[in-house]
């Protein structure tokens, strides 16, 4: 069952049973999240906005290696695993705007992931925290699907000025090499920006995204949607040695703000 947060002309709806997913973000009557399933991506990651944990993006061949131990994880975006293990499990509601999911099989390390949502008339502030019961490698991210066109105004313009991007293998995994950004369309990971990413729907609304982390994945290869995903590390981060190793009893956090005008 969904719950709702309201502040001024903004309304956020969240479905704890659907992976803690934000199913709707209305601002002045404009829906800022796509509620429709889109093709060419795995079922369960096609709409709204969801937390990616304990890894974000693709995990190469579903293979995780940590401290000399190898684990096989489900390949749900062949030939890779994708977006972690909390987007398709129920979350508990711990308080107003606070939800928690437990990490467990098929992920081999115990812990929890909490999202704390604070809605204001001009922005949505989000804090995602992974708490490790045992040591684990981790990356956190948010995956919003934005529609290219709102109920009024023109098609979205993505104002994005990345400083570097990851080169990719033919299988869409990053090589680990950072290169100068190229032109889109993108299904790519970037590091650093000259300014906070903005989505501008001329004649309707402008959305600015700020993050405590410096990694961003942009996906804009489909005709009706655009994704701008803040992350604490790149896809396949464990294999690249760029995941955070969170100690038992430790935490990894990601803070993101979506501000509109």
């Amino acid at each position: 069952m969904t719950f709702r947060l309201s502040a001024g002309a903004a309304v956020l709806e969240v479905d704890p049973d659907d992976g803690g997913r934000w199913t709707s973000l209305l601002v002045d009557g404009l829906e800022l999240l796509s509620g429709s399933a889109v093709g060419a991506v795995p079922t369960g990651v096609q709409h709204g906005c969801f937390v990616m944990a304990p890894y974000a993006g693709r995990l190469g061949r579903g293979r995780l290696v940590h401290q000399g131990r190898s684990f096989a994880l489900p390949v749900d975006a062949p030939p890779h695993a994708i977006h972690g293990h909390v987007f398709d499990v129920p979350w508990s509601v711990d308080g107003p705007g606070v939800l928690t999911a437990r990490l467990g099989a098929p992920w081999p390390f115990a812990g929890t992931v909490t999202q704390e949502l604070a809605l204001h008339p001009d922005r949505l502030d989000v804090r995602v925290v992974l708490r490790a019961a045992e040591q684990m490698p981790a990356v956190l991210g948010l995956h919003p699907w934005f529609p290219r066109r709102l109920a009024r105004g023109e098609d979205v313009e993505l104002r994005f000025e990345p400083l570097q991007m990851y080169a990719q293998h033919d299988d869409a995994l990053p090589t680990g090499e950072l290169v100068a950004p190229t032109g889109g369309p993108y299904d790519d990971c970037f590091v650093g920006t000259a300014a906070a990413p903005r989505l501008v729907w001329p004649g309707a609304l402008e959305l600015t995204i700020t993050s405590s982390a410096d990694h961003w994945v942009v996906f804009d290869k489909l005709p009706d949607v655009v994704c701008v995903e803040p992350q604490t590390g790149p896809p396949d981060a464990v294999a690249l040695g760029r995941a955070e190793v969170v100690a038992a009893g430790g935490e990894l956090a990601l803070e993101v703000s979506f501000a509109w005008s």
Side-chain angles (χ1 to χ4, degrees):
M1 180 179 295
T2 61
F3 69 81
R4 176 177 294 191
L5 301 176
S6 300
V11 180
L12 175 70
E13 292 188 355
V14 182
D15 189 344
D17 294 328
D18 187 13
R21 188 182 314 266
W22 316 348
T23 54
S24 175
L25 177 58
L26 281 171
V27 177
D28 196 24
L30 297 172
E31 178 57 70
L32 303 190
L33 294 175
S34 171
S36 301
V38 296
V41 294
T43 301
V45 299
Q46 298 179 336
H47 64 284
C49 180
F50 56 89
V51 172
M52 297 181 287
Y55 55 89
R58 297 175 179 90
L59 181 73
R61 303 317 193 265
R63 184 168 180 261
L64 172 71
V65 177
H66 180 60
Q67 291 191 330
R69 301 169 64 195
S70 182
F71 306 91
L73 301 177
V75 173
D76 44 8
H80 308 304
I82 199 166
H83 296 338
H85 299 289
V86 297
F87 67 82
D88 59 354
V89 300
W91 292 56
S92 63
V93 179
D94 301 334
V98 180
L99 302 91
T100 297
R102 291 195 173 277
L103 293 173
W107 184 249
F109 307 106
T112 61
V113 180
T114 298
Q115 53 176 317
E116 304 166 1
L117 307 170
L119 185 64
H120 307 274
D122 62 344
R123 71 188 190 280
L124 171 61
D125 294 332
V126 187
R127 186 170 187 261
V128 179
V129 184
L130 181 149
R131 296 179 173 90
E134 53 189 314
Q135 187 195 86
M136 69 176 77
V139 171
L140 298 177
L142 285 174
H143 194 309
W145 290 95
F146 299 112
R148 287 189 180 269
R149 182 175 285 270
L150 305 182
R152 62 177 182 268
E154 302 175 23
D155 283 2
V156 70
E157 300 172 3
L158 176 58
R159 311 279 177 85
F160 183 59
E161 303 174 66
L163 301 181
Q164 296 177 299
M165 69 185 294
Y166 283 88
Q168 283 191 2
H169 296 291
D170 291 341
D171 61 2
L173 295 177
T175 66
E177 179 188 8
L178 291 171
V179 299
T182 62
Y186 296 121
D187 182 7
D188 292 278
C189 183
F190 303 86
V191 180
T193 57
R198 290 186 297 152
L199 293 96
V200 180
W201 291 268
L205 183 140
E206 178 176 318
L207 184 71
T208 301
I209 308 173
T210 56
S211 170
S212 61
D214 63 353
H215 281 67
W216 301 86
V217 167
V218 172
F219 177 64
D220 63 352
K221 290 187 173 182
L222 296 177
D224 298 323
V225 288
V226 175
C227 301
V228 181
E229 307 160 32
Q231 302 184 178
T232 62
D236 211 26
V238 177
L240 297 177
R242 297 186 182 178
E244 182 81 14
V245 176
V246 186
E251 298 183 353
L252 174 64
L254 170 65
E255 296 182 354
V256 182
S257 182
F258 300 86
W260 45 81
S261 60

